[in-house]
Amino acid sequence: MSANAVSCTIKSPVALQIGDAVSDSSRPGVYITDITLAEPVNIQEISFKNYYTAYLTVRLQRREDGSAKWVTCLRNYCLMSNPHAEDGSHDYFSIYRHQMLTEPDNVTTVRLILRQPSSEWLNFSIEEINIHPCAKEDSERDVPAWISTLTPVEEPLDLNHCGHVPVPIQLSFALEMDFLIQRRFPPAFSRCGHSLR
Amino acid sequence: MKYVATLHMPVPKMKSFMRFGMSVKGMQKTHSIRSLTARDSRNRFVTVRMRWFRTRTVMMRLFPMKLRRKMSTYRTIRTDCFMSDTQKVFPGGFVVIRLDTVLDPAVLQRSQMITENPVDITSVLMDESAELSVSVTQIVQRLKGTHLHSQLEKQAKECLHKPEIKLETLKDDVRRLLKASGWERKLQNAVYRELHILPPSGHPRAPPEHTKEPLEYMCKAQVNWEKRILKSLNSMCTELGIPLARKRPVPEQKELTNKWNEMGTDEPDLSKFRPVYAPKDFLEVLVGLRNPNNERSEDLTVRSHWGLIQVSLNVRDIPQMREMYPELGLTYGQLGIDDHTHVPPDLFESEHIHIGKKVVSEQDSAAAQQYSRQGCPTGLRAQLWSLILNTTNDPEDITHYEQLKARVINHDLLVDNLIYKDVKLTASNDDYYFVFEDYLYQVLLCFSRDTAVLEHFSYNSATPPKSCIQNSSGSEQCAMVYPPNGVIPFHGFSMYVAPLCFLYNEPSTLYRVFREMYIRYLFRLHSVSSHPSGIVSLCLQFERLLQTHLPQLFYHLREIGAQPLRIAFKWIVRAFSGYLSTDQLLLLWDRILGCDSLEIVAVLAAAVFAFRAENLMEVTSLASAEAVLADLSTLKVMPLLQIFLFATSV
């Protein structure tokens, strides 16, 4: 994939609840996660894996002229079109620079506000958060770097990057039959995973 | 007359729209598409319904998830009909817009959709071009090396000898000649077919297993289910002491070759074999599916599901189904309703057959799929289904079938006995299908040796079962797929093939059509996945439809211990094969192919319950409920579907 993710500290999510006591019967519908970056970064991409979060708001703290300012760069981005159903609940997402309302430059902290209005789900969160910095300074609308490895049609494309599932190696049919016949006892079936190792 | 459609968006020139005499100026958008106004040359606004049936396939697959969903709600774009001064309204032209520019990605890229939320537009542009390039490259790679590719090259070379070709415009001239001779259409059909079976494109970071099935608990359930099947097969193997595969001795090979067309006369001893699993075992697996992130109590609360399926998938309800499948509506002619003897054929039937003949002569896959939404005439059905599934009768296919036949003759597999047993138990006992027993053997035995079927595991949530072979020293282990096609037949599997026997009498064509239908639709009926056409979604959709529109019936059946899914599951798993009379079944399968989805099966199951609701309200046990619904052979499929979908008050 693109440039290596910057190192960041992801704090544990804080639930927003009305009232003081944390009661078991009501589950929070909003979580806030802060991610602090070691040094100010120009963000190219934020990628993550969803776990039952319906809407995402992203706020950035930018360091400008010595002062730190909070700006909203994404408001109520919909991750699950129907919060009560499973659609999109486990999907991987990427938010790119050009999708953000403000320029994510010189960012010191990223705040993710997760919302899940449905009472169906016990928990919701966002996992595997990675923040990728800009590779080059001049790229405003940068395409994902893996697309530059896309070769023209005449040359073979490395499909491993595109979610292509490797089909188990198929021996010639006759050889396969010979293998099966040679054993004396019925073999034990097993699931050996997706591909031959 | 000329139609002028006004679009409001910065699109230079949509060449494809012009093909239909529509000059396009711009388009307003609602989320993705807002409205399309069109004027005919008499300066009257007309109602234009745009069916993007090919574009839908291309764009829905290529655009990111959110746009796909938005597009699906606006697939039928109806505009306001504006009365002109003469108070005459043109009776709704039905214009089919096909951006059949799959070969020309540049035009597709220009058809940008502008949305209100800046987030959506830029991600659309970015992901659209990226996904498009990936898909195009994938399809090109798949088509390279196929028979069609070599034929196209040969044709192109032959074109060079024609006098019309000029060196300066070589590429365009060759393209034009290929188009005129029908080769471009064949290529389009091939690309259309590849789009149907293209594995879903996932996020670059998502592992391949995730793109097949994103929900972890479903993956786990599928894995456990496969383990159980393998254990059952294992124990059968050990008990009977029969090898997985055996090379047939030469006299036996000769005998089988002679008896190839009448394998049904064989009476092997199959008493020791039993089917590996039956649909009701699979139902128990589905009933036991639980999402760990969801709490479900056994009591009937506000949040509980009344039915057996306890997962919350996104299934369509009646208003959404009406929007998705308007061709099944009351204002459209349907074969199955409007071809009844007392309806004069001029009203619908003869026109429909005429269009069907045109579609077949054009050899257009996408048009055939659109056409079959209203049913296929009996005389044209075989050709139309072949066209939709793009199974041409090439010499290549016949050779492939002969190869598979040779494999059957040379080797005997354990699953062959399972197939024999299944055919003897199901199809041979059926009044309609027993005559096709020999065909069923010929198709299914070859099917289990066809390694090309393994390709569908790239988008099937299941994994092919592997058998670990140890070599003689016991040190090395090698895993290979068994049976060679990765599909273990279950009780009733042969009923997937049986209806097709009415259409095709050539075994190689029959085989090819069955294989294509299996890898496109039928495999979803017996593997656990969250796909909208998967069996879990179908069962949930059936239960939801019944609960929403017949709550009293559902509650009553639940109270007497006759959960509706327990009765309807066997219908859904077999797509009603063996339960309906064959002409009705073929009408149903027309719609499955036309709508490219199995949801219609779930709707029909709910419609059957709605039809027999009065009798069902009076039963007091599961057995009597099953007795009421035991015989479906007198039902007419299309009226039931229409009434349930379009005449139920919502």
Side-chain angles (χ1 to χ4, degrees), chain B residues 147-165:
Chain B
H147 189 55
L148 180 65
H149 185 227
S150 45
Q151 278 180 317
L152 275 173
E153 279 186 344
K154 211 171 84 172
Q155 285 293 317
K157 281 195 193 127
E158 280 174 25
C159 279
L160 292 174
H161 298 303
K162 299 249 168 65
E164 305 91 71
I165 304 276

Side-chain angles (χ1 to χ4, degrees), chain A residues 1-2 27 45 47-49 51-52 74 77 79-82 84-94 96 98-99 101 119-124 130 132 141-144 146-147 150-151 153-154 156-157 159 161-168 170-171 173-174 176-181 183 186-196, chain B residues 65-66 69 118-120 122-123 125-127 129-130 133-134 137-138 140-141 144 202-212 214-217 223 226-227 230 233-234 237-238 241-242 244-247 291-296 303 311-314 407 411 413 449 451 454-455 457-458 463-464 466-470 479-482 484:
Chain A
M1 190 55 209
S2 62
R27 293 194 285 267
E45 178 195 347
S47 65
F48 55 87
K49 181 175 190 299
Y51 186 72
Y52 291 100
L74 205 65
Y77 185 61
L79 301 177
M80 286 167 62
S81 58
N82 181 357
H84 299 296
E86 303 261 6
D87 225 8
S89 57
H90 283 74
D91 285 352
Y92 286 80
F93 290 91
S94 271
Y96 295 101
H98 56 263
Q99 291 175 272
L101 293 168
S119 56
E120 281 275 307
W121 315 114
L122 295 174
N123 287 313
F124 63 96
N130 284 310
H132 302 272
R141 285 161 59 98
D142 210 359
V143 296
W146 61 268
I147 208 176
L150 218 80
T151 48
V153 167
E154 290 76 31
L157 171 75
L159 287 173
H161 286 302
C162 310
H164 178 74
V165 179
V167 176
Q170 300 162 32
L171 305 177
F173 187 80
E176 201 175 313
M177 288 295 111
D178 284 339
F179 265 123
L180 287 169
I181 292 166
R183 308 157 297 72
F189 280 95
S190 72
R191 278 182 42 83
C192 303
H194 278 288
S195 48
L196 299 180
Chain B
M65 286 296 273
K66 47 188 165 317
R69 274 182 235 119
V119 177
D120 289 344
T122 40
S123 65
L125 284 180
M126 211 43 72
D127 299 343
S129 47
S133 314
V134 172
T137 323
Q138 276 181 328
V140 167
Q141 264 198 321
K144 252 188 203 170
H203 192 267
R205 199 164 271 127
E209 295 85 18
H210 185 269
T211 41
K212 288 204 303 181
L215 302 181
E216 286 163 19
Y217 66 93
V223 163
E226 284 169 3
K227 280 198 187 125
L230 293 184
L233 193 58
N234 247 343
C237 268
T238 345
I242 294 182
L244 284 181
R246 175 181 71 91
K247 189 161 170 67
N291 184 349
N293 199 22
N294 213 341
E295 52 177 341
R296 291 254 171 260
R303 264 192 283 146
V311 296
S312 313
L313 294 172
N314 215 5
R407 287 181 189 175
H411 295 94
L413 295 179
R449 287 157 175 79
T451 48
L454 290 174
E455 286 178 356
F457 285 104
S458 64
T463 326
K466 292 201 181 66
S467 136
C468 267
I469 319 282
Q470 282 181 317
M480 64 186 40
V481 177
Y482 182 86

Side-chain angles (χ1 to χ4, degrees), chain B residues 481-531:
Chain B
V481 177
Y482 182 86
N485 70 341
V487 179
I488 297 184
F490 55 91
H491 179 68
F493 193 84
S494 53
M495 296 307 283
Y496 288 147
V497 191
L500 300 172
C501 297
F502 276 101
L503 300 174
Y504 305 97
N505 53 8
E506 260 303 314
S508 56
T509 334
L510 174 61
Y511 174 74
R512 194 76 176 83
V513 170
F514 166 64
R515 190 182 80 184
E516 191 66 24
M517 264 209 87
Y518 182 81
I519 64 175
R520 274 206 213 181
Y521 306 110
L522 300 174
F523 74 91
R524 298 205 190 274
L525 293 172
H526 59 90
S527 56
V528 181
S529 94
S530 60
H531 192 269

Side-chain angles (χ1 to χ4, degrees), chain B residues 114 117 120 172 187 235 292 318 336 344 376 402 462 577 599 624 632:
Chain B
I114 306 169
N117 192 345
D120 289 344
D172 291 327
L187 179 62
S235 61
I318 287 192
C376 298
E402 293 297 323
S577 169
E599 287 168 331
S624 27
L632 306 182

